[in-house]
């Protein structure tokens, strides 16, 4: 990267964004696109043809030779299939062509994407449809067209379609509330998301030597090094030169793609870092986060580094998550979670706040399920990330306000009558800067909610679909009640206070890591779904099916497909991890320990023959033998347990959780003891010290 980078000129230069469209499209075509994006109106094929032509010209100017419909299958990754623009002219030459039809619809051969039973393989057609609300871009010589992915019968096979549906729903219901408060201008309410992304960066040569990292993205073995993160010397610390160069390059690439990369710093664990973008609408944020994760990996490789996005690459130090900052904004940019300064503004704020509290309480299990994965099981509830129990942290001031509304007491001056919503002025609610309460899974941070349960490798679509859906649901119920009301202020007072009273159990300000909270949460009737195997079945409970089907976000079949895929993913990941452990233990760890043990015994023999003391050799050989035997047994136990995994996916998940994982833990314990006992020159792969403190 050159000195004096012109960031404003660089930013979005590889994106066919609104400014570019305005410049490159005929005025009527641009206006038709704009109308389509703001009101959801259809684009004619003529318009699509003109957009396609302009896109192609622009992309070719950026060095593109191909185009691809870029989509986000249900597994949470991204997929692409590239077609070149070439069209034969019949005389042995080609011209570059791209039609509106090709822009709007595609048909990748999609038979090998997991479909959760939605699409039989014999009927393998999957279609992609252009999403005109997210911008096309050029990357690696291709024009990327963000698309929705669906089956022949119209079922959504991706993460984008339900996200867009959920955004429409929450907008529709929020508008009903805004109208009740006299807002006539707002045409659309937009869920806004800023996803802070954590990741690890390690040297490529070290990574290459570890089969577990290569096959599973995390270390399955590894004794803890003498130093971990106890000195807190990494958090916000100076960034290593190599990593700094990577980050600089990464920012440049992200900016080119119009991703608002804003903040970068070291995180708690050695080799751990974070990137935070400036928030955008949820759809753009989701595309942006997918691209960010992909580019992080590619960019690291360019710098001879490896980016680990796994939730728990190393035992004993923090894992990685994603903080999903979420709020609702009007099309004019007014944040609906900003407390206002007039009684009406405050009342409106309290309506949105109560709806959020009610929704999270009612659908806590649904929210929990959207972050359930094999990787995230290492974090949630493991005293470094929020617990698996969902609760909301409001901060001291808002807590007191909620309390006063519930109790019917006045918040500020005890001698005054109770606070009347919509009539009295609330005190200004300051952004809570005192206690950020890192242990809370959902925290109100002044004008947005921060959902901290996401795993670092997950798509942010799932949790945001859930947040939009539950918010739409509660706002819809509120609007139903308020639209009927004869006395609006009285109805408002009743609605807010009743809602807060009914759902206040979800509010919790204390230490989420404590055992006392587990007991307290159980007393309050909050669910504690500690693992993916426990959580996932609740995803398809009748209540959750009703939520998403009544709002048209998923059909029941679509929801069940997601469930099947999440379950399958959990089982497959654990299967791979377990088999990798067996492989490494049998072919690397056991042989290394036996070789060392043999050399000890040889030395012992010689010393014995010479009549020299040999206490150390004897004791070490003894201990090694004890643990190599135990290792062998643990390998066999794990190997045999894998033969018993049930065919049924739900039973398999429970079996992995209750039988395979404990066997994996036993094997790791023995292997890690052997690592501590064995001469380092015998050890087959880099240790935690080698990796984390390179
Ligand atoms: P902090 O560092 O205190 O967590 P920041 O203000 O730096 O908070 O924001 C963290 C993330 O939240 C960023 O991605 C930011 O863009 C995003 N964010 C800020 N305001 C909002 C909002 N109103 N809605 C959604 N995300 C937001
Ligand atoms: Mg944060």
């Amino acid at each position: 990267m050159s000195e004096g980078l012109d960031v404003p000129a660089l930013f979005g230069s590889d994106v066919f964004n609104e400014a570019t469209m305005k410049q490159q499209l005929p005025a009527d075509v641009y206006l038709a696109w704009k109308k389509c994006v703001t009101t959801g109106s259809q684009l004619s094929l003529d318009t699509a043809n003109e957009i396609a032509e302009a896109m192609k010209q622009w992309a070719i100017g950026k060095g593109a030779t191909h185009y691809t419909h870029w989509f986000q299958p249900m597994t949470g990754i991204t997929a692409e299939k590239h077609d070149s623009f070439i069209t034969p002219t019949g005389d042995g030459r080609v011209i570059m062509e791209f039609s509106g039809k090709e822009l709007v619809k595609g048909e990748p051969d999609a038979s090998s994407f997991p479909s959760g039973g939605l699409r039989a393989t014999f009927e393998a057609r999957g279609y992609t449809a252009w999403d005109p609300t997210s911008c096309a871009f050029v990357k690696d010589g291709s024009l990327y067209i963000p698309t929705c992915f669906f089956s022949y019968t119209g079922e959504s096979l991706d993460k984008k379609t339900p996200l867009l549906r959920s955004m429409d729903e929450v907008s529709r219901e929020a508008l009903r509330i805004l109208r009740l408060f006299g807002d006539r201008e707002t045409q659309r309410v937009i869920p806004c998301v800023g996803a802070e992304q954590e990741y690890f960066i390690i040297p490529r040569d070290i990574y290459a030597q570890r089969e577990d990292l290569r096959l599973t993205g995390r270390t399955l073995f590894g004794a803890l090094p003498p130093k971990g993160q106890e000195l807190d010397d990494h958090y916000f610390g100076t960034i290593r030169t190599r990593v700094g160069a990577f980050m600089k390059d990464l920012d440049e690439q992200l900016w080119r793609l119009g991703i608002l990369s804003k903040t970068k710093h070291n995180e708690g664990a050695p080799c751990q870092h974070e990137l935070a973008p400036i928030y955008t609408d949820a759809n753009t944020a989701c595309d942006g986060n997918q691209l960010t994760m992909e580019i992080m990996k590619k960019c690291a490789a360019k710098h001879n580094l490896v980016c680990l996005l796994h939730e728990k690459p190393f035992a004993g130090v923090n894992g990685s998550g994603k903080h999903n900052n979420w709020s609702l904004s009007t099309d004019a940019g007014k944040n609906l979670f900003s407390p206002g300064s007039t009684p009406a503004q405050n009342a409106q704020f309290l309506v949105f706040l109560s709806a959020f509290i009610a929704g999270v309480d009612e659908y806590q299990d649904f929210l929990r399920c959207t972050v359930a994965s094999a990787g995230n099981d290492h974090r949630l509830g493991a005293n470094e990330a929020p617990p698996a129990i969902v609760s909301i942290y409001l901060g001291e001031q808002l807590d007191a306000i909620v309390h006063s509304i519930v109790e019917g007491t006045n918040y500020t001056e005890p001698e005054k009558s109770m606070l009347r919503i919509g009539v009295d002025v609330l005190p200004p609610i300051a952004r809570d800067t005192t206690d950020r309460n890192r242990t809370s899974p959902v925290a109100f941070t002044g004008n947005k909610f921060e959902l901290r349960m996401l795993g670092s490798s997950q798509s942010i679509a799932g949790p945001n679909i859930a947040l939009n859906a539950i918010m739409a649901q509660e706002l819809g119920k509120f609007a139903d009640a308020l639209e009927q009301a004869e006395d609006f202020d009285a109805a408002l007072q009743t609605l807010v206070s009743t809602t807060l009273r009914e759902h206040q159990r979800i509010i919790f300000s204390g230490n989420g890591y404590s055992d006392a909270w587990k007991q307290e949460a159980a007393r309050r009737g909050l669910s504690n779904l500690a693992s993916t195997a426990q959580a996932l079945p609740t995803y398809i409970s009748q209540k959750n099916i009703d939520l998403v089907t009544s709002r048209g976000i998923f059909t029941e079949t679509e929801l069940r497909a997601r469930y099947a895929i999440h379950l399958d993913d959990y089982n497959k990941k654990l299967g791979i991890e377990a088999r990798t452990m067996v492989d490494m233990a049998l072919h690397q760890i056991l042989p290394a320990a036996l070789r060392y043990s043999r050399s000890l015994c040889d030395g012992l023999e010689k010393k014995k023959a010479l009549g020299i003391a040999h206490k150390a050799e004897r004791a070490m050989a003894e201990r090694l033998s004890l643990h190599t035997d135990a290792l062998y047994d643990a390998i066999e136990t794990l190997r045999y347990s894998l033969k018993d995994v049930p065919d049924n996916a739900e039973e398999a998940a429970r079996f992995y959780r209750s039988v395979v994982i404990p066997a994996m833990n036993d094997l790791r314990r023995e292997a890690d003891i052997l690592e501590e006992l064995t001469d380092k020159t015998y050890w087959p792969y880099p240790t935690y010290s080698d990796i984390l403190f390179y």
Side-chain angles (χ1 to χ4, degrees), residues 453-669:
M453 301 177 86
L454 282 74
S456 47
S457 70
Q458 288 173 321
S459 158
I460 62 170
N464 285 299
I465 292 168
L467 287 172
N468 297 340
I470 63 183
M471 198 63 191
Q473 183 74 352
E474 303 301 331
L475 289 175
K477 280 196 244 168
F478 282 18
D480 288 345
L482 293 173
E483 280 164 0
Q484 312 283 325
E486 285 177 5
D487 180 345
F488 182 71
D489 281 345
L492 199 62
Q493 177 80 36
T494 312
L495 180 73
V496 170
S497 56
T498 316
T499 304
L500 291 176
R501 187 171 311 118
E502 277 171 9
H503 297 287
Q504 62 177 324
R505 63 172 186 166
I506 198 78
I507 300 169
F508 175 65
S509 317
N511 177 6
Y513 294 168
S514 68
D515 279 329
W517 169 231
K518 284 197 191 112
Q519 288 157 25
E520 167 67 15
R523 249 198 314 280
R524 295 188 188 187
L526 300 177
S527 64
N528 181 5
L529 301 163
S531 69
T532 299
Q534 284 163 279
L536 272 184
T538 68
Y539 194 53
I540 47 163
S541 69
Q542 195 55 50
K543 181 192 62 170
N544 295 336
I545 291 174
D546 290 346
L547 169 73
V548 294
T549 56
S550 70
R551 306 237 138 245
I553 293 168
F554 290 113
T555 63
E556 181 167 345
T557 322
E558 287 173 344
L559 187 72
R560 287 184 183 278
R562 270 73 188 172
Y563 169 64
I565 283 175
H566 292 322
L567 208 56
D568 189 50
D569 181 70
Y570 176 79
N571 292 338
K572 280 188 180 145
K573 291 224 165 101
L574 281 166
I576 293 169
E577 287 187 354
R579 290 193 297 276
T580 306
M581 286 188 89
V582 169
D583 193 45
M584 287 175 74
L586 208 53
H587 300 123
Q588 299 186 1
I589 300 170
L590 188 61
L594 291 177
R595 269 199 307 278
Y596 178 48
S597 162
R598 192 177 329 123
S599 90
L600 282 171
C601 291
D602 289 350
L604 188 147
E605 280 295 312
K606 284 182 187 139
K607 281 192 175 178
K608 224 175 178 176
L610 293 169
I612 300 174
H614 46 263
K615 182 175 145 198
E617 286 88 342
R618 179 160 203 105
M620 286 298 291
E622 197 84 58
R623 285 173 70 191
L624 271 168
S625 291
L626 222 60
H627 290 289
T628 46
D629 284 357
L631 182 85
Y632 178 77
D633 289 343
I635 295 170
E636 289 303 283
T637 306
L638 180 57
R639 220 156 61 84
Y640 279 99
S641 79
L642 289 173
K643 296 190 199 299
D644 294 332
V645 176
D647 288 333
N648 173 284
E650 270 174 39
E651 286 168 29
R654 280 195 295 275
F655 185 83
Y656 274 116
R657 178 74 194 168
S658 58
V659 179
V660 179
I661 290 179
M664 287 165 68
N665 292 341
D666 289 344
L667 177 54
R668 176 173 188 151
R669 196 176 47 251

Side-chain angles (χ1 to χ4, degrees), residues 196 274 276 323-325 431 436 438 445 448 450 452:
E196 303 165 58
E274 181 182 292
H323 287 178
N324 189 87
N325 295 272
R431 193 188 149 98
R436 304 294 305 279
R438 310 289 298 179
T445 48
K448 62 184 192 284
E450 186 169 340
R452 301 177 176 144

